[in-house]
Short mmCIF file of all heavy atoms in Angstrom, two decimals:
data_model
loop_
_atom_site.label_atom_id
_atom_site.label_comp_id
_atom_site.label_asym_id
_atom_site.label_seq_id
_atom_site.Cartn_x
_atom_site.Cartn_y
_atom_site.Cartn_z
N CYS A 37 143.79 114.96 132.94
CA CYS A 37 144.09 116.39 132.80
C CYS A 37 145.53 116.55 132.34
O CYS A 37 146.45 116.01 132.96
CB CYS A 37 143.87 117.10 134.13
SG CYS A 37 144.36 118.83 134.04
N CYS A 39 147.47 119.19 132.27
CA CYS A 39 148.29 120.29 132.78
C CYS A 39 149.53 119.75 133.49
O CYS A 39 149.58 118.60 133.88
CB CYS A 39 147.48 121.21 133.70
SG CYS A 39 147.35 120.67 135.40
N CYS A 42 149.10 118.03 137.03
CA CYS A 42 148.50 116.70 137.04
C CYS A 42 149.43 115.67 136.40
O CYS A 42 149.48 114.53 136.83
CB CYS A 42 147.17 116.71 136.30
SG CYS A 42 145.91 117.66 137.18
N HIS A 88 139.47 122.90 139.56
CA HIS A 88 140.62 122.76 138.68
C HIS A 88 140.25 123.19 137.26
O HIS A 88 139.23 122.77 136.74
CB HIS A 88 141.09 121.30 138.68
CG HIS A 88 142.46 121.12 138.13
ND1 HIS A 88 143.57 121.60 138.77
CD2 HIS A 88 142.91 120.52 137.01
CE1 HIS A 88 144.64 121.29 138.04
NE2 HIS A 88 144.27 120.64 136.98
ZN1 ZN B 201 145.44 119.44 135.83
#
Side-chain angles (χ1 to χ4, degrees):
C37 175
C39 84
C42 292
H88 196 67

